Amino acid sequence: MKIKILVPIAKGTEEMEFAIIADMLRRAGAEVVIAGDKEIVVCSRGIKILPDVLIDDLDMDENWDAIFIPGGLGGTENLTKNSFFIDILEKHIKENRYFGAICAAPMIFSDHKFIAKNAEITSHPSVKDKILYGEYKDNSPVVIAGKMITGRGAGNAFDFALMIIEQLFSKEKADEIATGIVYERN
């Protein structure tokens, strides 16, 4: 049975983070479902993405092995205002399943108090002061706190995706994917 992962996107999502996360997880063998707030999602740099499904058409009772959110300030703001998506995310987190975000998107976890005050977290430095819950880790490209994985930004998207693969699959699988794309892991 394949690992099933939800990657939500909305107007203003950072396309590089989205593409790297979705691509790398598919290379690892995961079933990645891209859910968008519109039929065509216009990302932060104007690139248009055709999601697999609309967020509003997701089944609230569907169980995901993981939910990972790409950043981009506009996409983060639009997802955090989407009450249906937030309900799905909250249910998912309460079920103790993997979840994560990169760049500005960890703000969603803080805004909705989905993390403990002492959980380690990182994000893009520009939104660091908006992360009110969690223990912020400066200069950490990827931070793992239990089932939560957070990343700093687009420049760390490969490290973020590979850490997800390491957690959901294995270190060997992450190394295999890194070697296949000629990426040197730290």
Side-chain angles (χ1 to χ4, degrees):
M1 187 165 67
K2 281 193 172 190
I3 291 175
K4 195 169 175 183
I5 300 171
L6 178 65
V7 177
I9 60 174
K11 182 179 179 183
T13 288
E14 166 52 60
E15 46 269 78
M16 186 165 66
E17 293 164 358
F18 153 74
I20 291 169
I21 293 166
D23 176 274
M24 298 286 281
L25 290 169
R26 284 183 175 170
R27 286 174 192 256
E31 178 185 342
V32 178
V33 175
I34 299 148
D37 66 341
K38 303 275 190 262
E39 289 183 16
I40 298 174
V41 176
V42 180
C43 293
S44 64
R45 304 295 180 272
I47 293 176
K48 296 173 183 159
I49 307 290
L50 299 172
D52 300 318
V53 64
L54 291 172
I55 290 171
D56 291 342
D57 291 340
L58 291 171
D59 181 351
M60 182 59 143
D61 295 323
E62 181 124 21
N63 288 320
W64 303 95
D65 294 300
I67 297 175
F68 293 108
I69 310 167
L73 188 56
T76 296
E77 289 171 347
N78 286 320
L79 286 173
T80 203
K81 290 187 274 187
N82 185 315
S83 61
F84 184 63
F85 169 67
I86 296 303
D87 289 345
I88 289 171
L89 182 61
E90 181 176 29
K91 173 186 173 280
H92 178 84
I93 292 169
K94 284 181 178 177
E95 292 171 349
N96 196 33
R97 298 174 189 269
Y98 279 97
F99 67 105
I102 188 169
C103 191
M107 288 183 349
I108 295 170
F109 306 149
S110 177
D111 289 352
H112 295 281
K113 300 178 178 114
F114 289 155
I115 56 173
K117 280 210 175 255
N118 62 347
E120 293 184 346
I121 190 169
T122 194
S123 69
H124 192 278
S126 67
V127 299
K128 159 184 171 174
D129 294 337
K130 296 177 182 180
I131 305 287
L132 304 177
Y133 282 81
E135 183 180 318
Y136 192 83
K137 296 304 225 182
D138 277 316
N139 301 319
S140 296
V142 180
V143 172
I144 299 172
K147 299 280 183 159
M148 180 178 71
I149 304 170
T150 53
R152 279 181 60 101
N156 306 111
F158 283 104
D159 296 316
F160 179 70
L162 288 166
M163 186 54 70
I164 292 168
I165 293 166
E166 188 171 314
Q167 296 301 304
L168 295 177
F169 293 89
S170 68
K171 182 178 182 328
E172 293 75 24
K173 178 58 97 174
D175 290 343
E176 173 190 321
I177 301 298
T179 298
I181 64 166
V182 193
Y183 181 80
E184 294 184 32
R185 294 182 78 189
N186 295 332

